[in-house]
Amino acid sequence: MFRPFTPPRMAPWLFPLLLSTFIFALPGCTSLRHSLWRPPLAPDGEIERNRFTVAKGEDVIGQLAEIRLEKGDTLAGIARHFGLGLNAVSAANPEVDIWVPKAGERILLPLNFILPDTPRNGIVVNLATMRLFHFQRDGAVLALSTYPVGIGTEEKPTPMGRMRVARKATRPTWYVPVSIAQAHRKKGDILPAAVPPGPDNPLGDYALYLSKQGYLIHGTNKPASIGLKATNGCMRLYPENIATLFRETPINTPVLIINQPYLLGQRNGILYLEAHTPLEDSGVAELARINAKLRAMEKESGRTLDWQKIRQIQAEARGIPVPILALEAAKGAGAEKPVAIRHPGRLLGSPELPGLKLDAWYVLAAEVQDELDARRLAAIINHQGPPIPAQVLPAGKGHRVLAGPFKDAGEARKAVKRLKIDLELDGIMIEPVRKG
Amino acid sequence: MVKRLVLFSMMLVLPVTMIGCATTSELEKVQAEQKLINAKAEQAMQDAQAAKAAADEAKLQADATSARAETAIQAAEERERIADEKARMAEAAFQKSMRK
């Protein structure tokens, strides 16, 4: 027999209680959703770092991204993992400590670039942005590979101009230039006339010798120097980048080295401006050049540019393309939202940190009061080339920066020498703990 | 006639006396009020003095706190400057170490 549904009886006080609980829970759920819900993170492998196709009439490639830092990250480590130079990550995040950033901090990854104002052919190196562009045309398709580079110092700048790849070599021998040998001799370091391939060879595993005598595009044994002015005029790439460039670059490829700190380009009907800190002595002239170009565009288009915004972009020099004008009426000139990237966990090329071993040699690199200073120094030692493992140990009220473990006294002695020559630290060797 | 005169006098004296009596009581009342007000004024003065003393004390404390805060800010700025200087020096040393 059919019986109509009768709800179960409930105590008279229970219904108002349940109702009020439900009502109070509603805003709670909303705020919880607001605080916890974020757009899904893209796996780090999905963001393009090096290889792009350049659409006709477009000058901007790639996408701005952001990542949340984890404990132990350094900007140098993040830069390498995402195929960026240390200069680029540092400029995009000027408030962030390079060596001891806060865990949980969000940083921008400037993985969008305005192409330099040059013919799109062969290799173009923009010294101001410390980036190499390799254009390869395949029929109607213009493919582009781009890599960060380390360039010459102020005293030994990378020469500008047109040249070509004269020859190529794998596992090149480094013939030590007289100036470098002399500089090392002053510090008590006698370099050999030639350094064979291996971890101590600063050329890394691949070299492209340029037609301008004495200048190379090569790898490095100091990957943290990519994005710095640290060479004698050569251009260095990350080991993983030079391997690809070497493979894809035939002899006689034209090479053009330029200095363009201010770049203009368009994508999807929007005009972008990208500003970098100019190289010494080139700032005023480059600024005048780009401003003249902007004024000409303003006159030609009959549109007024926001010069206050332009001056701010130029002054901040964060190396990120910023929209400054919608060239087509329907387009808005709003900033592109950065793509949130999931932290990969382990960063490419990040230094190995072996645990403490009683039977190993160590070098006391420094004793410092402040933990931050100790961690910064340990990170810098870790990013030497070849790497020297280093860690921080609390000691009383201060902290010790300990390099090692080293398997024998010889290795520890070598580390002491390198710490002295490269970082002017007076390391103290620590013997292994003898058993019994 | 005398009776009339007496009656007239009484009619005149009585109100005058009554007015006189009223004036005295009013005077007493006013005096009492004055006394009360004086007492209140005295109390208010004392209160004001106490409040001023408290305000002065509070100002002194605020000044001292402000001075301490200023010193703390200066110390924090100095610490920040030293930390920045250390970071800059470390960075310079690192950049030098990256050369060949």
Side-chain angles (χ1 to χ4, degrees):
Chain A
M1 180 125 181
F2 174 74
R3 287 182 62 194
F5 171 74
T6 45
R9 278 184 153 189
M10 63 170 81
W13 51 267
L14 193 58
F15 181 72
L17 182 72
L18 285 174
L19 185 66
S20 56
T21 307
F22 174 70
I23 289 167
F24 277 112
L26 281 176
C29 288
T30 317
S31 29
L32 201 65
R33 273 183 56 189
H34 272 292
S35 61
L36 294 182
W37 192 87
R38 287 184 188 282
L41 301 175
D44 82 294
E46 277 185 14
I47 188 96
E48 191 48 74
R49 298 146 161 86
N50 306 115
R51 290 183 171 290
F52 302 92
T53 302
V54 184
K56 200 173 178 189
E58 303 234 318
D59 318 293
V60 186
I61 52 163
Q63 258 185 310
L64 183 65
E66 66 167 20
I67 193 166
R68 189 193 282 264
L69 296 177
E70 289 190 355
K71 196 179 170 214
D73 282 347
T74 63
L75 293 198
I78 290 284
R80 181 168 182 188
H81 187 88
F82 289 98
L84 291 163
L86 185 51
N87 62 325
V89 179
S90 179
N93 304 280
E95 303 299 321
V96 181
D97 193 311
I98 293 174
W99 298 107
V100 273
K102 293 184 191 101
E105 209 165 353
R106 284 174 181 278
I107 62 157
L108 289 173
L109 302 171
L111 286 162
N112 49 347
F113 317 98
I114 297 182
L115 301 179
D117 186 12
T118 62
R120 293 174 182 174
N121 178 31
I123 291 174
V124 177
V125 180
N126 188 355
L127 297 178
T129 63
M130 295 197 211
R131 191 157 265 278
L132 180 149
F133 299 88
H134 185 202
F135 296 98
Q136 291 166 289
R137 190 166 285 284
D138 183 10
V141 179
L142 181 62
L144 166 68
S145 303
T146 177
Y147 312 104
V149 293
I151 61 166
T153 59
E154 283 177 34
E155 304 83 49
K156 299 260 182 184
T158 302
M160 289 193 279
R162 288 180 193 282
M163 43 203 98
R164 61 184 175 81
V165 176
R167 66 186 177 95
K168 296 165 61 170
T170 53
R171 296 180 57 76
T173 296
W174 180 47
Y175 295 97
V176 182
V178 176
S179 59
I180 296 180
Q182 280 175 345
H184 276 254
R185 198 175 302 125
K186 275 185 194 163
K187 293 188 276 186
D189 184 29
I190 310 297
L191 290 177
V195 178
D200 292 328
N201 187 321
L203 303 184
D205 287 339
Y206 303 93
L208 302 173
Y209 292 80
L210 301 180
S211 52
K212 190 169 176 70
Q213 191 67 34
Y215 294 98
L216 290 72
I217 298 173
H218 59 74
T220 184
N221 65 344
K222 294 177 190 282
S225 69
I226 304 307
L228 297 180
K229 288 182 260 181
T231 75
N232 262 32
C234 290
M235 288 149 281
R236 301 176 176 164
L237 276 76
Y238 285 125
E240 55 275 18
N241 292 163
I242 188 70
T244 314
L245 182 70
F246 184 89
R247 201 173 52 241
E248 296 178 348
T249 305
I251 289 174
N252 283 328
T253 298
V255 176
L256 176 62
I257 302 175
I258 54 160
N259 171 32
Q260 293 182 1
Y262 305 107
L263 299 154
L264 269 179
Q266 59 169 301
R267 173 160 70 178
N268 297 330
I270 295 171
L271 183 68
Y272 290 84
L273 173 65
E274 181 183 320
H276 296 257
T277 304
L279 297 179
E280 319 62 54
D281 305 331
S282 69
V284 178
E286 287 301 317
L287 201 59
R289 189 184 66 82
I290 201 74
N291 285 347
K293 201 171 171 181
L294 282 165
R295 271 192 290 273
M297 289 181 81
E298 199 174 32
K299 202 173 169 186
E300 195 181 318
S301 66
R303 308 273 297 278
T304 309
L305 289 169
D306 182 347
W307 283 94
Q308 198 181 340
K309 184 179 181 183
I310 288 167
R311 280 190 201 99
Q312 192 186 343
I313 297 164
Q314 290 167 341
E316 286 180 351
R318 295 183 69 184
I320 298 170
V322 181
I324 55 168
L325 183 69
L327 298 168
E328 294 166 25
K331 310 272 183 183
E336 281 179 27
K337 254 188 124 185
V339 181
I341 304 288
R342 190 182 305 143
H343 195 288
R346 187 170 161 72
L347 299 172
L348 174 73
S350 62
E352 294 281 349
L353 282 180
L356 286 173
K357 293 174 184 169
L358 291 179
D359 58 350
W361 285 78
Y362 283 91
V363 173
L364 176 60
E367 267 195 312
V368 284
Q369 197 74 25
D370 190 61
E371 191 191 349
L372 206 67
D373 293 337
R375 284 169 52 208
R376 181 179 293 119
L377 182 58
I380 286 176
I381 295 174
N382 271 319
H383 284 82
Q384 291 300 299
I388 302 173
Q391 55 197 299
V392 176
L393 293 185
K397 284 183 180 173
H399 295 83
R400 288 186 177 137
V401 181
L402 215 58
F406 303 108
K407 69 174 194 297
D408 54 38
E411 260 195 25
R413 210 169 288 121
K414 196 178 166 194
V416 168
K417 189 179 164 189
R418 284 186 56 204
L419 289 175
K420 181 67 186 170
I421 289 167
D422 291 339
L423 293 166
E424 294 174 17
L425 293 172
D426 294 308
I428 299 166
M429 284 172 60
I430 304 168
E431 286 187 9
V433 177
R434 307 280 175 212
K435 283 177 187 163
Chain B
M1 177 70 184
V2 174
K3 272 184 178 179
R4 275 178 146 189
L5 191 65
V6 169
L7 183 66
F8 182 74
S9 302
M10 279 176 71
M11 282 173 69
L12 192 71
V13 168
L14 185 66
V16 169
T17 314
M18 282 179 76
I19 291 165
C21 286
T23 311
T24 309
S25 73
E26 269 187 10
L27 190 68
E28 280 169 359
K29 192 181 167 193
V30 167
Q31 280 173 346
E33 280 176 359
Q34 272 181 358
K35 212 172 164 184
L36 202 66
I37 288 167
N38 267 335
K40 278 199 162 182
E42 192 69 29
Q43 183 64 47
M45 240 161 66
Q46 280 175 12
D47 288 351
Q49 277 171 357
K52 189 177 178 301
D56 287 350
E57 177 62 23
K59 189 177 179 307
L60 274 175
Q61 281 191 6
D63 287 350
T65 309
S66 171
R68 277 208 308 276
E70 192 70 30
T71 311
I73 289 168
Q74 279 174 4
E77 281 173 355
E78 182 62 7
R79 275 199 303 276
E80 205 172 304
R81 191 191 64 74
I82 291 169
D84 284 352
E85 186 60 27
K86 279 181 182 172
R88 226 185 341 269
M89 281 167 67
E91 191 50 27
F94 165 72
Q95 295 213 10
K96 215 171 142 193
S97 76
M98 287 293 109
R99 296 180 181 188
K100 277 176 186 159

